[in-house]
Amino acid sequence: MEFTGLSLIKFTETFKTDEDCKKYLGQRKWSEGFKCKKCNHEKATVLKGKRTAHRMCTLCKREESPSSGTLFHRVRFGLRKAFFIVYEMSTSSKGLSSIQIANRYGISQKTAWYFMQKVRLAMESSGNHPMKGKVQVDEFTVGGKEKGKKGRSYDAKKKKIVGAVELTDDNKIKRFYALPIDNYSGKELETIFKAHIDIGAKVETDGWKGYNKMKKKYDIKSTKSLPGINFNEIHTVIQNLKSWLRAIPTHISKEHIKAYLNEFSYRLNRSIHKETIFDGLIGRMVEHPPVNYGKLKLCN
Ligand SMILES: [Zn+2]
């Protein structure tokens, strides 16, 4: 069974109990058969009673729960609440703060934040599908006070970002990725090229000299940025990202901005596949190994 659609009623009816969610995770986890984490044996017994969603290796007798070895490992507040949070984060177009989630599900703000960071970790792009064709790249800042200043800002409170958008032939936005950077040097700007841009892409940037470094390797056309005249597509996405971030009533530290950029891109890049976005994200969370609190705090 694969949950599709955007109906909250259908979602509520499908996932009535923690057990329903456990079974769903089990289906995803062992969709291509069982493989024991300890001995690699490929046969398992389905346990009875309360543990019907668990498997037991027929060789070493090790029992495995659907959530172990995934990002749902040790979710103490129940899988049903976790599923609802994943559903909200994958389908909502508004920014959700850990305070809102904490109030809604009766958990602490810290617990909510911690779980939401795990979801954002699963939203991180694999980088396996670099952007091809028409690509626009631009650098900008988020956070701090907006003074209506355009272009590169050197305000220390603002977080510097480099973003890239892939366009269709008729200039529709296909995908967007962004990464935090320390400064506007060629070395830093290059990170988005390495992570997300195909060597054959037709790249457009503004006239900033930082992009010169990449011109040996990439097909880059630099043009002076004129508001309203060019780069409208990437500027629109950047404006949307900024207002989405502003709507999250939580301070976002420099260390964690990457997690929020993952979240923004994940939803934007799947906006035409909204029907399956929840199921896809559950799949990613099942495939992602567990992370502990200390490690997550350092993730960026
Ligand atoms: Zn085994």
Side-chain angles (χ1 to χ4, degrees):
M1 180 200 65
E2 177 189 280
F3 182 85
T4 54
L6 297 168
S7 160
L8 188 56
I9 301 289
K10 186 183 159 198
F11 188 84
T12 311
E13 281 166 0
T14 308
F15 304 107
K16 283 199 188 84
T17 62
D18 287 345
E19 202 56 35
D20 292 337
C21 304
K22 220 180 204 184
K23 281 182 190 153
Y24 197 83
L25 286 186
Q27 277 181 13
R28 284 304 304 235
K29 188 175 182 180
W30 298 306
S31 60
E32 275 154 37
F34 174 84
K35 193 171 186 184
C36 176
K37 293 247 187 227
K38 194 178 167 193
C39 74
N40 283 335
H41 187 60
E42 292 182 356
K43 275 198 184 102
T45 324
V46 178
L47 294 171
K48 289 202 174 88
K50 274 191 169 181
R51 294 162 126 108
T52 173
H54 293 227
R55 297 288 180 274
M56 192 174 78
C57 172
T58 55
L59 194 67
C60 74
K61 307 291 177 198
R62 183 181 176 273
E63 189 183 325
E64 199 174 312
S65 85
S67 58
S68 73
T70 78
L71 281 177
F72 290 98
H73 186 58
R74 295 201 174 147
V75 169
R76 303 250 185 253
F77 51 87
L79 282 177
R80 187 167 182 251
K81 287 181 182 179
F83 267 45
F84 270 77
I85 298 171
V86 174
Y87 185 69
E88 287 211 65
M89 287 178 75
S90 57
T91 56
S92 161
S93 53
K94 284 186 188 152
L96 295 161
S97 76
S98 53
I99 300 162
Q100 288 170 311
I101 291 292
N103 290 337
R104 211 173 280 190
Y105 297 100
I107 55 178
S108 76
Q109 186 265 332
K110 193 180 164 189
T111 302
W113 178 85
Y114 179 36
F115 183 71
M116 290 171 87
Q117 285 295 98
K118 287 188 190 177
V119 180
R120 293 183 183 113
L121 203 58
M123 287 172 160
E124 187 166 74
S125 160
S126 64
N128 290 341
H129 308 282
M131 300 195 281
K132 293 174 178 175
K134 272 197 220 180
V135 175
Q136 293 175 341
V137 179
D138 200 5
E139 70 289 341
F140 57 99
T141 59
V142 295
K145 286 214 173 80
E146 294 284 328
K147 284 180 189 149
K149 264 171 80 181
K150 291 257 182 259
R152 286 165 294 278
S153 162
Y154 295 90
D155 179 343
K157 278 185 189 161
K158 293 186 175 187
K159 293 151 196 119
K160 300 172 187 73
I161 313 279
V162 60
V165 72
E166 181 185 36
L167 302 173
T168 62
D169 291 338
D170 52 349
N171 293 334
K172 294 245 170 27
I173 292 152
K174 267 170 91 177
R175 285 188 291 166
F176 172 77
Y177 294 107
L179 292 171
I181 50 175
D182 289 332
N183 54 60
Y184 302 116
S185 67
K187 190 173 170 240
E188 287 289 294
L189 296 170
E190 196 179 14
T191 53
I192 195 87
F193 286 79
K194 282 185 176 166
H196 296 295
I197 303 176
D198 190 87
I199 209 96
K202 295 242 174 276
V203 185
E204 276 186 275
T205 68
D206 60 24
W208 172 242
K209 61 180 187 325
Y211 293 107
N212 291 345
K213 184 181 188 317
M214 278 70 79
K215 285 182 180 163
K216 287 177 212 132
K217 206 167 161 189
Y218 291 86
D219 179 357
I220 298 176
K221 188 180 144 206
S222 293
T223 325
K224 192 177 185 306
S225 176
L226 299 164
I229 304 292
N230 54 14
F231 300 104
N232 293 338
E233 295 79 13
I234 192 161
H235 288 162
T236 302
V237 180
I238 292 170
Q239 283 316 314
N240 290 344
L241 168 65
K242 286 182 179 192
S243 31
W244 179 76
L245 284 170
R246 268 198 298 271
I248 302 172
T250 320
H251 170 74
I252 300 167
S253 67
K254 196 182 166 209
E255 290 70 38
H256 295 129
I257 187 74
K258 193 178 171 200
Y260 290 85
L261 297 173
N262 287 346
E263 185 184 347
F264 180 82
S265 293
Y266 190 80
R267 268 204 306 268
L268 179 81
N269 298 346
R270 283 162 188 76
S271 46
I272 54 162
H273 308 290
K274 277 220 156 173
E275 294 282 308
T276 55
I277 193 167
F278 167 78
D279 184 69
L281 191 50
I282 292 286
R284 279 171 164 246
M285 291 188 72
V286 166
E287 278 155 33
H288 200 294
V291 282
N292 64 38
Y293 188 67
K295 200 179 164 199
L296 205 55
K297 270 174 89 176
L298 297 172
C299 280
N300 63 50

